[in-house]
Amino acid sequence: MADKVDEAQAFLQYQTDIQISNIRKTVKTTTPSLFECENCGAEIPLKRRIAVPGASLCVECQRIAEIKNKHVSTDF
Ligand SMILES: [Zn+2]
């Protein structure tokens, strides 16, 4: 009897683990903004992550990247 309970609990735990990992996957795909800057590792503020979906750089690195992009485009 005790074995059956353990089995049921293990199964429930297994199902819960799958559900949690599915939720995590969904969260990851629906919130593409990073928590940390890809370039310098600084924390990207929540406001910025909401304002700029998919943001992967902090404000400072984004500014530098934009300046660099401008340089690249004017070189051509
Ligand atoms: Zn940065």
Side-chain angles (χ1 to χ4, degrees):
M1 194 66 175
D3 284 350
K4 283 241 185 270
V5 174
D6 284 349
E7 237 174 71
Q9 278 179 341
F11 183 66
L12 275 177
Q13 184 61 51
Y14 172 71
Q15 279 191 320
T16 309
D17 286 348
I18 289 174
Q19 279 166 356
I20 290 169
S21 70
N22 281 343
I23 291 164
R24 285 200 180 132
K25 272 182 216 159
T26 312
V27 168
K28 218 176 180 184
T29 49
T30 51
T31 52
S33 295
L34 299 180
F35 286 84
E36 287 179 352
C37 174
E38 209 171 51
N39 189 50
C40 70
E43 193 189 333
I44 298 173
L46 181 64
K47 267 188 190 172
R48 173 162 170 74
R49 294 204 305 267
I50 293 167
V52 189
S56 58
L57 296 171
C58 68
V59 179
E60 195 61 23
C61 290
Q62 183 64 51
R63 206 167 56 90
I64 293 163
E66 277 169 16
I67 291 165
K68 278 182 185 168
N69 281 340
K70 270 179 201 163
H71 278 295
V72 169
S73 58
T74 50
D75 283 344
F76 284 112

